[in-house]
Amino acid sequence: MTAREQVFVAYPGRDPTLAAGIMDAVRKANARPIPIIYEPWPFNDVAGSPLVSPILEKIDESPLLVADTTYLNLNVVYEIGFAIGRNKRAFLVRHKGTKGDRDIAKLVGIFDTLGYFEYATFDELQARLEAHIDTAHLNFSTALDRKSPIYLIEPPKRGTDVGVMVSRIKKAGYGRYRSFTPEEDTRLSATDAIRQVAASSGVFIPFQKTDEPEAEVHNIRCMFIAGLCDGMGKPKLLLTPPRFDAPLDIRDDVKQWHQLSDIHAIVAEFSPQIVEYAGQLEPSGIDRTTLLQSLSIGDPRAENEMNTLDQYYLKIDQFDRTMNGEVNLVVGRKGSGKTALFIRLRDKMRGDRRNIVLDLKPEGYQLIRMKEDILEFLSEGARQHLITAFWEYLIYLEIAYKLLEKDQKAHRYNQDIHNAYVELSGVYNAANFSSEGDFSERLATLSERLAKRYQEKYGTQDARRLTAGEVTELVYVHDIKQLRELISSYLHRKEAVWVMFDNLDKGWSTQGVDVIDATVLRCLVDAGRKVEREMRKAGHVVHCIVFVRNDVYDHLMRNTPDFGKEMRATLDWNDPDMLREMLRLRLVSGMHADLNRVDFHMVWHELCVSHYKGEDTSNYLIQRSLMRPRNLLKIFNHCRGFATNFNRQIIEDIDSEKGLKAYSSDLLAELDAELTQVFPSAQDLLYHFMDSKRALTRAELGELLTSAKIDAADHEKVLSFLLYYGVLGVQVGDAEYFIFDVNYDIKVLQVRAERGKEKTLYIVNPAFWPAFSIAA
């Protein structure tokens, strides 16, 4: 008789009834004449649990892993990742009648993108275990990303510890790292996580204390990534805060910091492992049998494709306007391509070594100390004066820093710049001013120093008015006039200066932005224009450009006197053919074909069925992207992920259905966060559309808003937001209109709704139907 293969079954032990039921189903299945025998292994997260190595050895020896995810035990999550990294099938099961960690799993995002079997009874689980389980594993490329070898899992709220770690990563020479950032992606796709880890030579995994917001969700992601790393044999750095109780499976590998300075040493110790791994021979990879599996279309987040973006970037009119220096603001909704434009503009300008290019990415959390300790106590006029001076000072400091950094070696051999360099360096490094660290650290240090000086001098006096002299005394460590003159003198030897700010809205409170945030943004734009004017008087070409989310900008600035005066480039997409062309460039580039000779439909039909539910598949997906490039890429990656998971040649109907469901869940979480940021009382509002109708009358919509605890006085404002974000559209008769159908002019939607009167219906965007459980 042929020996039965052993299959490891992992499950949480916190629910005794569930654990007993799983054990009973396994015992009964083992009693049947099936070719495998199941070995159960419960986890209780208590001291004295079994050693880790026997568990991993059993997974390694098994043809597959069966794991119950009704409750998301951290060790089980790790083992799921480990099995996948070992090229094993991870067969996930979940009890239908137990809520368990279902809500957490939706926020995490990994498990529904892997797929799972839901059992209503333990007899049903037994029957499934007795049936054939396909052992085909997930296919992934093992080719390393040589230009961006680092992958980082960021927490929902980046604290000082992660900021220091990122700074040390950059100092180690890995400035172009790839990352998962919850503020951008909200949920982590298993397919994307596997692809990113497989391409990495080193992975940074910072855990959070359990009392931090959303720490449970973040730490689950971290455990899955840690398992992937160990399964694939990737170097990993598990960074934990003080007194962190590490799960059993990783307890021996964690590096715990007690003081922030410890992180410097930890990263320094880890960095050689990255170099050593990257120095290995290129892994041979797996046998690719389909074009779909081998295709690479880049990453939905431009930050993760800095080295490849130039191969398929769709140059739009807004890019040309920005490159020609015609704008000082680039605004666009989340996922509309602001960062892609930022990266291409930066790289284009850096192509001329005579240019000075500053890519500055301040984050809201770096200004919190200044906001809490100073700005809340100042009058509006004093606040604007202080913040404008702060930004102006910061811009000059960063220009000086870049000049000194760029010519650090050249000035020793170039007499034309030597004296000017020494003089600028002497002034810049004077007054005990530290230039250590990256821009984030310099910004944080400067704002904290300002806050400390203000508190020491004025304390917490409300509505304080500051004179010009008092502002100067508070803000400037250097003689600003002398610094400006030295920079101006130095720039006669350069071509142009480009100062670009991105990410200012990143890190702002998830509970909403306020009038102070508006002041910070407006004053940054004003300071940039002031620097441009001062430098241009001296004959220099200087461009200061701020990249910011369009919805945040409109919300913050609409009632300010300067609204509309700035020269803006707005990244609003409303042409499906443009999005189709964006996708074509990526598909053709991924196939290494001639970009100018391959038609979209020619390549599309090699990858996907031509129609889905009677509609052209590309059009079907585009219409559910909210006309945002990032969303379209996410939809395609989800659909492709499900197809490749099952070794299909092309994306079939079932893959599109599953992919759209996973994307819809992502979209729901992301849009809820976006709405909350600009209208805090709308938090969780979108979830109240669950099981609603596709089309609602004004009265029905009012009832829904009331059930979400939105004050009646705010109904019109909230409705405007829902229309603005594309969650709802307007239907009058047979005609349907969403915000992108009317060139993003919300007044058009409002007027059409008013004209329709009682016949007007508010329609839910089909992109949300799967997440809202609205029948298609």
Side-chain angles (χ1 to χ4, degrees), residues 174-188:
Y174 302 114
R176 290 192 169 187
Y177 61 86
R178 293 165 286 114
S179 68
F180 168 76
T181 307
E183 284 199 350
E184 297 292 335
D185 295 310
T186 307
R187 293 172 7 112
L188 176 61

Side-chain angles (χ1 to χ4, degrees), residues 14-35:
R14 83 172 78 157
D15 184 334
T17 302
L18 180 71
I22 294 172
M23 281 284 291
D24 189 53
V26 168
R27 180 180 57 79
K28 290 179 179 177
N30 284 338
R32 304 287 293 173
I34 56 176

Side-chain angles (χ1 to χ4, degrees), residues 429-441:
N429 291 303
N432 195 30
F433 179 74
S434 173
S435 59
E436 288 298 313
D438 64 358
F439 170 70
S440 297
E441 288 185 291

Side-chain angles (χ1 to χ4, degrees), residues 343-356:
I343 292 170
R344 287 301 301 132
L345 178 65
R346 179 196 64 188
D347 292 349
K348 183 78 172 178
M349 293 303 108
R350 281 179 176 172
D352 186 339
R353 291 187 56 82
R354 296 172 300 171
N355 288 334
I356 302 299

Side-chain angles (χ1 to χ4, degrees), residues 391-570:
W391 284 125
E392 180 190 5
Y393 181 43
L394 181 71
I395 291 170
Y396 280 124
L397 285 176
E398 289 302 310
I399 293 174
Y401 178 86
K402 180 60 71 172
L403 288 169
L404 296 174
E405 179 188 55
K406 193 177 182 72
D407 290 341
Q408 185 176 12
K409 293 181 180 179
H411 86 278
R412 300 172 186 172
Y413 314 106
N414 187 338
Q415 291 301 314
D416 183 48
I417 65 172
H418 178 77
N419 292 337
Y421 184 96
V422 171
E423 191 173 5
L424 179 60
S425 176
V427 171
Y428 177 79
N429 291 303
N432 195 30
F433 179 74
S434 173
S435 59
E436 288 298 313
D438 64 358
F439 170 70
S440 297
E441 288 185 291
R442 293 194 298 274
L443 172 59
T445 299
L446 200 63
S447 62
E448 288 177 7
R449 177 182 293 184
L450 175 59
K452 183 179 179 181
R453 293 173 72 177
Y454 180 88
Q455 288 289 312
E456 290 173 350
K457 192 171 183 64
Y458 302 111
T460 57
Q461 301 175 35
D462 283 337
R464 174 81 193 183
R465 297 181 182 276
L466 300 178
T467 66
E470 289 172 326
V471 169
T472 298
E473 184 181 349
L474 278 173
V475 174
Y476 303 133
V477 178
H478 301 78
D479 181 331
I480 186 65
K481 183 179 179 182
Q482 182 186 25
L483 183 66
R484 183 169 56 238
E485 289 174 350
L486 288 175
I487 290 172
S488 177
S489 176
Y490 205 106
L491 289 179
H492 285 298
R493 301 163 179 82
K494 304 297 179 180
E495 184 68 19
V497 177
W498 292 81
V499 183
M500 300 183 292
F501 285 90
D502 194 14
N503 278 359
L504 184 65
D505 46 24
K506 183 180 178 182
W508 274 347
S509 171
T510 56
Q511 299 305 310
V513 291
D514 55 30
V515 66
I516 296 180
D517 296 316
T519 302
V520 169
L521 173 59
R522 185 171 67 250
C523 291
L524 173 56
V525 176
D526 290 344
R529 286 192 302 218
K530 185 176 180 182
V531 171
E532 288 179 350
R533 288 194 302 268
E534 292 291 338
M535 290 292 102
R536 286 173 183 171
K537 286 178 185 177
H540 307 302
V541 178
V542 176
H543 302 285
C544 292
I545 307 169
V546 178
F547 293 70
V548 69
R549 264 174 47 192
N550 196 21
D551 53 343
V552 172
Y553 175 78
D554 284 352
H555 173 64
L556 291 179
M557 306 294 285
R558 183 167 295 278
N559 296 319
T560 65
D562 290 334
F563 181 76
K565 291 183 180 179
E566 297 84 7
M567 296 297 294
R568 285 188 289 171
T570 303

Side-chain angles (χ1 to χ4, degrees), residues 24 95 125 298 310 486 500 664 713 752 762:
D24 189 53
H95 188 241
L125 174 61
D310 64 310
L486 288 175
M500 300 183 292
S664 188
R752 290 191 181 279
Y762 293 93

Side-chain angles (χ1 to χ4, degrees), residues 89-137:
R89 169 75 188 279
F91 182 70
L92 308 186
V93 299
R94 188 167 74 183
H95 188 241
K96 186 181 294 184
T98 304
K99 183 177 180 181
D101 289 334
R102 191 183 303 262
D103 292 340
I104 295 173
K106 286 181 179 179
L107 294 173
V108 171
I110 294 169
F111 306 99
D112 53 355
T113 56
L114 280 174
Y116 53 86
F117 170 72
E118 234 181 4
Y119 58 94
T121 66
F122 295 111
D123 288 340
E124 194 176 335
L125 174 61
Q126 174 196 338
R128 187 65 189 90
L129 293 176
E130 293 174 7
H132 172 70
I133 300 177
D134 190 356
T135 59
H137 56 78

Side-chain angles (χ1 to χ4, degrees), residues 12 189 199-200 223 319 331 382 397 629 666 701 734:
S189 159
S200 299
M223 288 298 288
F319 175 81
V331 297
L397 285 176
D666 290 349
L701 182 59
D734 294 331

